Amino acid sequence: MQADRRDGRTDRPRPERVERAERVRRLDLPQIRRRRPLPEYDPDAFGRLSERIARFLGTGRFIVWMTVVILLWVVWNIAAPSGLRWDEYPFIFLTLVLSLQASYAAPLILLAQNRQSDRDRVSLEQDRARHERSIADTEYLTREVAALRMGLGEVATRDWIRSELEELLKDLDQQRPAESDQRDR
């Protein structure tokens, strides 16, 4: 189950939808009346559709097709016989069609931008959490390395043992002549 909605709900079917689906399949049970007069829709599906449309509106292909359609419209309504023209020179119907297209395109683009900003916000939160974990890991490793260095400071190294043994040998060598002199007497 994905929890990709902002309110934290998952994509599980609601019990009334499951029950309604079961009743539609069964002919021996009465149908449940809808509580809403408007049809239900999936906001995520609508959002995905709006993103696809907004993505298409932002391409060169859309601009080329729109230019071709407008040019054909204008050429037809200027060059065609007067009985076949549907939009005379001021091209009021063309203006209406373009205004209608713009009035639908703007909200779809805004919806797509809102969905993208929601995805960016989630990604930013995940990056922030990952960054905090890496900082905590780095601090932990720094403390461990410092503890190892302190522990190594107390550990006898080979060079230190060698120097201590050399000093003991020198002390023994110095004590031997003194001992041999005392025996001789």
Side-chain angles (χ1 to χ4, degrees):
M1 306 277 166
Q2 284 184 332
D4 57 350
R5 292 190 178 144
R6 277 185 266 164
D7 59 1
R9 293 183 297 163
T10 59
D11 288 334
R12 279 183 268 158
R14 288 189 232 151
E16 65 265 9
R17 283 188 182 178
V18 172
E19 184 178 309
R20 185 181 313 136
E22 289 174 0
R23 286 182 187 244
V24 168
R25 288 186 214 129
R26 297 188 58 184
L27 297 176
D28 61 336
L29 297 174
Q31 288 186 346
I32 297 175
R33 297 184 117 199
R34 282 198 310 202
R35 294 183 184 101
R36 296 182 191 158
L38 299 176
E40 293 184 19
Y41 71 98
D42 183 14
D44 289 331
F46 185 75
R48 286 190 301 272
L49 176 66
S50 69
E51 285 177 341
R52 287 177 55 199
I53 293 171
R55 239 180 259 120
F56 175 69
L57 291 176
T59 62
R61 178 184 291 166
F62 171 74
I63 293 173
V64 168
W65 278 109
M66 189 166 174
T67 304
V68 167
V69 168
I70 291 172
L71 285 175
L72 289 175
W73 186 296
V74 170
V75 168
W76 179 265
N77 286 301
I78 290 175
S82 65
L84 296 176
R85 297 178 192 171
W86 64 81
D87 194 15
E88 293 293 329
Y89 165 65
F91 305 118
I92 295 172
F93 189 55
L94 176 63
T95 306
L96 176 68
V97 168
L98 292 176
S99 297
L100 184 65
Q101 182 266 333
S103 69
Y104 274 98
L108 289 174
I109 291 170
L110 289 174
L111 179 62
Q113 287 176 344
N114 287 342
R115 286 175 54 90
Q116 183 62 42
S117 69
D118 290 343
R119 281 194 297 272
D120 291 343
R121 186 178 319 109
V122 168
S123 175
L124 181 66
E125 289 172 1
Q126 290 172 348
D127 288 346
R128 187 175 295 130
R130 192 177 309 119
H131 179 68
E132 289 173 0
R133 282 193 308 270
S134 68
I135 286 176
D137 290 345
T138 304
E139 288 175 353
Y140 172 76
L141 290 174
T142 304
R143 286 192 300 272
E144 288 297 313
V145 167
L148 287 173
R149 284 184 178 171
M150 290 172 59
L152 280 177
E154 297 171 2
V155 172
T157 62
R158 185 177 7 167
D159 294 335
W160 181 78
I161 292 174
R162 190 174 286 150
S163 66
E164 289 294 316
L165 287 174
E166 288 174 358
E167 287 179 22
L168 285 174
L169 282 173
K170 286 179 188 175
D171 287 344
L172 285 175
D173 287 341
Q174 289 174 0
Q175 288 178 3
R176 276 191 193 163
E179 288 177 6
S180 61
D181 288 340
Q182 285 178 1
R183 285 187 202 152
D184 292 339
R185 287 189 197 166

